[in-house]
Amino acid sequence: LIQCQDMWKSYGKKEVLRGLNFQIMSGRIVGLLGPNGSGKSTFLKTVAGIIPALKGKGSLGNHIDLAYFDQMSGELDSELSVFEYYHDAFPSLREKEVRTQLASYLFRGDALGKCVASLSGGEKARLALAVLLSRKPNFLILDEPTNNMDIPAKETMESIFRMYSGTILMVSHDRYFLSEVCDSLLIFEEDKEDASFY
């Protein structure tokens, strides 16, 4: 699904990726670990095509429907209710279908009528991920998807990601979450020539 060949990338004046070479096969769930400033988010944006590589290249396989989630994706500021916001994204769904799908992301009862702008950071992230995943992309690139989520929400997302049939590349500082969801780890370390793939 992904092949990186001698990829270099800088962030400002600092080189954060140096000669990165690896492949990810379709259907894998790969977690990225590493300290802040080690190049994880920069790498995700490069793979997603948001920013170009400084040198080398990263290429995707054929028929890839990519969806990208970062911290800005969860900063929803709509005056619509949760129900209305989701239904606007999928207008062909019946009311019962909207309620059922939102319930799988822990939006039930009174939560459906809450104004999106008034949701907590974790709730907004859950709603943004509900919309993103319901569009059925086959490749998810996720930067801290469970940031600000409580334990029940994280457990829900663990189940959803484990059932997902496509490929996921995600950054998280939550090692337990990654251990529950991922089948491989790509570890970025500062001042190393390459990342380690496990």
Side-chain angles (χ1 to χ4, degrees):
L1 186 107
I2 307 170
Q3 182 169 336
C4 291
Q5 296 176 309
D6 195 30
M7 182 185 284
W8 291 60
K9 187 74 190 92
S10 63
Y11 183 75
K13 294 183 178 180
K14 179 183 177 184
E15 286 178 349
V16 290
L17 301 177
R18 296 185 290 249
L20 189 61
N21 292 283
F22 76 97
Q23 293 178 333
I24 295 177
M25 304 305 289
S26 181
R28 304 287 284 181
I29 301 179
V30 180
L32 273 67
L33 270 175
N36 290 333
S38 59
K40 303 181 304 298
S41 294
T42 299
F43 173 67
L44 289 189
K45 289 178 181 177
T46 304
V47 171
I50 296 170
I51 56 177
L54 190 66
K55 177 183 167 186
K57 66 177 182 177
S59 56
L60 298 178
N62 296 322
H63 311 296
I64 302 300
D65 180 15
L66 185 152
Y68 175 76
F69 176 94
D70 65 5
Q71 299 306 307
M72 297 301 292
S73 305
E75 292 185 4
L76 309 179
D77 192 26
S78 172
E79 293 303 315
L80 296 175
S81 69
V82 169
F83 181 93
E84 292 168 337
Y85 185 88
Y86 189 85
H87 192 253
D88 273 11
F90 307 99
S92 64
L93 292 181
R94 296 178 179 156
E95 180 178 335
K96 184 178 180 181
E97 292 172 315
V98 172
R99 290 180 180 277
T100 299
Q101 291 185 21
L102 283 171
S104 65
Y105 290 86
L106 303 181
F107 292 106
R108 304 181 183 98
D110 292 344
L112 295 173
K114 290 174 74 173
C115 174
V116 170
S118 70
L119 298 175
S120 70
E123 289 171 326
K124 287 181 178 180
R126 259 191 291 131
L127 181 57
L129 286 165
V131 171
L132 185 147
L133 283 158
S134 296
R135 290 184 172 136
K136 303 188 187 314
N138 57 18
F139 181 27
L140 293 175
I141 296 180
L142 310 172
D143 197 351
E144 294 283 359
T146 60
N147 215 14
N148 301 317
M149 288 189 191
D150 58 17
I151 291 174
K154 286 184 180 182
E155 290 174 345
T156 296
M157 295 313 303
E158 284 172 16
S159 299
I160 289 169
F161 290 147
R162 280 199 298 262
M163 293 189 317
Y164 177 71
S165 60
T167 305
I168 302 177
L169 183 62
M170 78 168 85
V171 167
S172 178
H173 290 289
D174 187 333
R175 289 173 179 263
Y176 177 78
F177 179 80
L178 291 179
S179 72
E180 291 296 301
V181 173
C182 299
D183 46 39
S184 300
L185 291 176
L186 186 60
I187 299 176
F188 284 61
E189 297 178 84
E190 290 187 287
D191 302 321
K192 289 290 184 74
E193 288 300 314
D194 206 344
S196 303
F197 204 15
Y198 297 97

